Amino acid sequence: MCNHVDFGKRLKYFRKSKNLTQKEIAFRIGVSEQAISKWENGECLPDVYNLKLLGKVLHTSVDTLLDTEGDNPEKIIEIIQIGGAVFEIIEKPESILAGKILYAKEYPDIDTFYQVIDTLDEEEKQATFCLLQESVLPLTDIQLSVNFWRDENSRAFGYVREVTTEDQPEGVDVYKMPASLYIRAHTDKGTAQLIAKEKCEVWELFAYIRDFFMPAHGFTMADNGAQELEVFDSFEHRTGYAYMPVSRLI
């Protein structure tokens, strides 16, 4: 059950992290400033429609705002804003990914490996997804990059979804991803402008995070086996989140 007071504290935290006033939030979602004040003071909760609007304005999920038990195991521990772009530092627990995974070591050379990735048939991906057991809801398509910053022979690439069990049928590849600290960024307009674009693909954010964001904010690439994830939030894969595994520099 959602606690009104705790919700108000989270709402206030996210609002201030975006440098927005109660009046600005109220204007953007079409409610009174008094309504925002009541929500933040824990007097009442917004309805479902206003929760969704708050999530959009604050660039976070309704689950994060409500902090519903067990619904979202990812924990946001810091938010860093650069202009209109929002970067979340999150703790992501161990998870199981299943689907179609290709390993570079199974091909004669790295170029052949990349060619197979580019030519993998969409019907084959969907056929594999249909075999998955105990998929985590809501369903989310994920592109998994393994060790692309390391030795070529250790690389892998997968079209996967999150599941709750490693016990999957024949024809389904499984990857157990370790817990890690991640930088997470969305392909919204504010983030795209950091790479001088109006729109951007998820994969384009990795270079910016690695080459600019991480050095500026005291992070380095994780060496615990965690991987880059392109987590799509649209069926057409036009938008989504970039997850970059990192460690803090001491």
Side-chain angles (χ1 to χ4, degrees):
M1 183 175 180
C2 182
N3 182 289
H4 291 41
V5 174
D6 288 344
F7 170 81
K9 290 178 179 178
R10 285 190 295 276
L11 176 59
K12 186 175 183 179
Y13 168 79
F14 281 106
R15 174 178 63 78
K16 287 193 170 184
S17 71
K18 303 295 188 297
N19 295 315
L20 294 170
T21 65
Q22 290 183 344
K23 185 175 183 179
E24 288 170 329
I25 292 288
F27 174 77
R28 292 185 66 179
I29 70 172
V31 299
S32 67
E33 188 176 349
Q34 288 75 19
I36 303 295
S37 178
K38 285 184 178 181
W39 296 340
E40 290 191 355
N41 289 332
E43 296 178 31
C44 59
L45 291 173
D47 59 25
V48 174
Y49 178 71
N50 283 322
L51 273 173
K52 291 178 68 175
L53 291 178
L54 285 169
K56 287 184 177 182
V57 171
L58 298 172
H59 298 282
T60 191
S61 68
V62 171
D63 280 340
T64 299
L65 285 172
L66 293 175
D67 194 29
T68 49
E69 294 182 2
D71 284 351
N72 188 3
E74 298 176 3
K75 180 181 179 182
I76 299 175
I77 60 174
E78 186 178 355
I79 296 174
I80 299 173
Q81 188 166 0
I82 303 175
V86 175
F87 294 85
E88 296 171 319
I89 313 304
I90 68 168
E91 291 178 345
K92 184 175 175 63
E94 181 181 82
S95 58
I96 303 170
L97 302 177
K100 183 68 175 179
I101 303 175
L102 307 171
Y103 292 88
K105 63 184 180 181
E106 297 177 355
Y107 298 91
D109 53 61
I110 198 67
D111 290 335
T112 302
F113 170 62
Y114 289 142
Q115 288 172 9
V116 174
I117 291 174
D118 291 337
T119 58
L120 190 63
D121 186 76
E122 184 64 31
E123 290 186 5
E124 185 177 356
K125 300 177 195 174
Q126 295 303 320
T128 303
F129 286 155
C130 288
L131 297 174
L132 300 186
Q133 300 295 309
E134 297 187 28
S135 296
V136 172
L137 297 176
L139 297 176
T140 305
D141 289 348
I142 301 170
Q143 289 184 180
L144 165 72
S145 297
V146 181
N147 292 338
F148 268 60
W149 60 91
R150 295 179 178 174
D151 178 69
E152 289 184 350
N153 290 330
S154 67
R155 293 178 187 175
F157 189 86
Y159 300 93
V160 296
R161 288 176 178 168
E162 188 171 351
V163 295
T164 61
T165 177
E166 295 180 73
D167 187 15
Q168 296 293 325
E170 185 177 353
V172 174
D173 302 312
V174 175
Y175 187 89
K176 197 169 184 179
M177 193 171 68
S180 183
L181 189 69
Y182 279 81
I183 295 172
R184 180 172 68 189
H186 190 261
T187 56
D188 54 29
K189 186 174 182 180
T191 309
Q193 288 178 343
L194 293 178
I195 57 175
K197 288 191 171 185
E198 284 294 314
K199 296 181 180 180
C200 67
E201 303 288 340
V202 176
W203 61 267
E204 293 179 287
L205 299 180
F206 291 127
Y208 178 87
I209 293 172
R210 182 177 57 248
D211 298 337
F212 298 100
F213 183 89
M214 286 168 50
H217 295 89
F219 293 96
T220 187
M221 294 296 298
D223 58 2
N224 61 356
Q227 311 304 327
E228 295 173 351
L229 299 173
E230 297 175 61
V231 181
F232 298 102
D233 59 4
S234 63
F235 286 113
E236 302 83 5
H237 294 182
R238 293 176 182 170
T239 60
Y241 290 86
Y243 282 71
M244 176 72 80
V246 296
S247 299
R248 287 190 186 273
L249 293 171
I250 298 176

